[in-house]
Amino acid sequence: MGIERRTRTVTLTATAVFALVAVVWWALGRPLGVDSAVYRAGGIAVLRGEPLYEHLSALPGWAPELPFTYPPFAALVFTPLAALPVQWCWGVLALAAAPALVVALRPYAPGAGVLLAAFGLQPVWQTIGLGQLNLVLMALVIADVLRRRGSAGVLIGLAAAIKLVPLIFVGHLLLTGRRADAFRALGTFAGATALGAVLLPADSARYWTSALFNDHFEQMKGWVGNQSWAGFAARTAPGQAWLLAFAALVVVGAAVVVRWRHRAGDDRGALLVTAGCALLVSPISWTHHWVWIVPALGYLLASGRRWCALLVAAVFTGWTVAVVPGGQGRERDWTAGQALIGNAYLLVAVVAGAVLVTAAVRRRSARATV
């Protein structure tokens, strides 16, 4: 059986399993998909003319009181979910998981084995369990940067209009000399955002003036589930602005490495550097946002670094955030060992970034001395 056929078998099997779970959980009336329930409630709020950034009346009784945190355009995208039972909404996003992983892995390490192993990584299974969009957004960015030509940038613009973090990939396009694609991405983002403003003017005004900086994120910033540098700072030295200044160094270092890898013809690696930068400098990077570890592991495997890939994969199975005290501010009382384990996701990215920046500087210095 060829690689493509085995990959197709895994994809179809996973899709069938997720579809079965959605139908069975719906038939039994059991809770399924916390975040997909929020997406559905946001879409229903739009159709009912209710405020998007206040209490969501369509949230099921079993769901926690979570706010809608996406831009208004995202709520427009979610309106078709209003026609489905909440468990089926989870099913729609779960059905997209395996195809999205196939798209993400194809430029890095295609194959059924890697695809199957990806489901054992916490960012993947948590994304699926919550009914999150992370895998779809990652696939859009990878397809746009590494596979599309002519109309590249459109998918990044759409992803950014749904969730703002992908805007960083506009900078990636500029750094790699793809100005037309960058402008196309910005134009798409602006057009989608303008559509949201025209159809949902009050919600748009609320989002861009206050809801963007919602209290939910501020209260949860120091939770172990937030594996961004801002989360690290909130856990380690709350209120110390100097720690956050490190984010600026991350951006500068990432730009240097992206340029270096692009000039070396390694656009796959350059894209992963930008993704890692986004995860570090974003104020909130929940553990399920770290789905970029999947193509990163594919990159390591394709480069012959199998032991390194295995060690990194072991970190991202979820045990690191499970074995340390978390929630209700307990992160501030961590021992040094607990801090090392509890911040493992972001520390992997910091160490990898430091190695790459050092290599880039050495290469530049070596050229200067020739």
Side-chain angles (χ1 to χ4, degrees):
M1 187 183 294
I3 293 177
E4 287 293 332
R5 187 175 178 182
R6 288 195 296 268
T7 300
R8 188 162 52 250
T9 299
V10 172
T11 302
L12 292 175
T13 301
T15 301
V17 169
F18 295 144
L20 179 63
V21 169
V23 171
V24 170
W25 260 242
W26 165 69
L28 296 176
R30 301 183 64 177
L32 185 63
V34 171
D35 288 342
S36 53
V38 174
Y39 300 159
R40 176 179 178 270
I44 292 175
V46 169
L47 296 176
R48 291 178 178 174
E50 297 175 351
L52 189 56
Y53 300 105
E54 296 180 10
H55 167 71
L56 296 170
S57 63
L59 274 176
W62 51 262
E65 186 65 29
L66 294 174
F68 190 85
T69 60
Y70 292 78
F73 176 75
L76 296 175
V77 174
F78 296 145
T79 51
L81 298 179
L84 301 176
V86 66
Q87 296 90 345
W88 289 17
C89 294
W90 174 87
V92 168
L93 292 168
L95 291 179
L101 284 169
V102 171
V103 171
L105 281 168
R106 187 163 291 154
Y108 290 93
V114 182
L115 173 61
L116 191 60
F119 288 103
L121 301 173
Q122 188 209 20
V124 174
W125 56 253
Q126 191 178 46
T127 286
I128 296 171
L130 292 172
Q132 262 282 346
L133 279 171
N134 306 309
L135 291 169
V136 174
L137 296 178
M138 177 178 67
L140 290 177
V141 172
I142 290 177
D144 223 5
V145 175
L146 297 181
R147 301 187 63 193
R148 286 166 59 87
R149 290 294 183 268
S151 60
V154 172
L155 298 182
I156 288 176
L158 288 174
I162 294 171
K163 188 173 185 177
L164 296 181
V165 174
L167 276 175
I168 195 172
F169 296 102
V170 176
H172 177 89
L173 293 173
L174 290 172
L175 281 172
T176 54
R178 296 168 63 175
R179 294 183 182 179
D181 295 341
F183 292 143
R184 194 176 293 112
L186 285 174
T188 303
F189 169 76
T193 302
L195 178 63
V198 169
L199 297 179
L200 302 170
D203 288 325
S204 293
R206 175 79 179 274
Y207 178 78
W208 295 107
T209 57
S210 61
L212 178 59
F213 311 99
N214 65 79
D215 293 337
H216 174 71
F217 282 168
E218 189 60 34
Q219 293 167 2
M220 298 295 289
K221 187 177 290 184
W223 178 48
V224 63
N226 179 23
Q227 290 288 306
S228 71
W229 187 258
F232 172 81
R235 290 188 286 272
T236 307
Q240 297 295 315
W242 65 270
L243 263 179
L244 295 178
F246 179 76
L249 294 178
V250 170
V251 173
V252 173
V256 170
V257 175
V258 167
R259 291 285 293 171
W260 168 46
R261 297 317 305 157
H262 170 66
R263 289 172 176 171
D266 183 17
D267 286 327
R268 297 177 308 148
L271 178 58
L272 293 175
V273 172
T274 301
C277 176
L279 289 165
L280 286 175
V281 304
S282 174
I284 300 292
S285 290
W286 304 131
T287 49
H288 55 80
H289 291 168
W290 286 76
V291 289
W292 284 91
I293 194 61
V294 176
L297 290 172
Y299 180 85
L300 290 173
L301 290 171
S303 303
R305 300 179 177 90
R306 293 188 177 182
W307 284 108
C308 182
L310 287 173
L311 290 174
V312 173
V315 172
F316 283 86
T317 53
W319 68 272
T320 61
V321 295
V323 300
V324 295
Q328 300 179 338
R330 288 181 292 176
E331 291 88 350
R332 297 179 185 177
D333 298 323
W334 280 352
T335 64
Q338 288 172 333
L340 186 66
I341 295 172
N343 292 304
Y345 284 20
L346 68 98
L347 291 178
V348 167
V350 169
V351 170
V355 170
L356 290 170
V357 169
T358 301
V361 171
R362 286 180 176 176
R363 181 64 60 92
R364 182 169 295 184
S365 298
R367 288 181 176 179
T369 57
V370 173

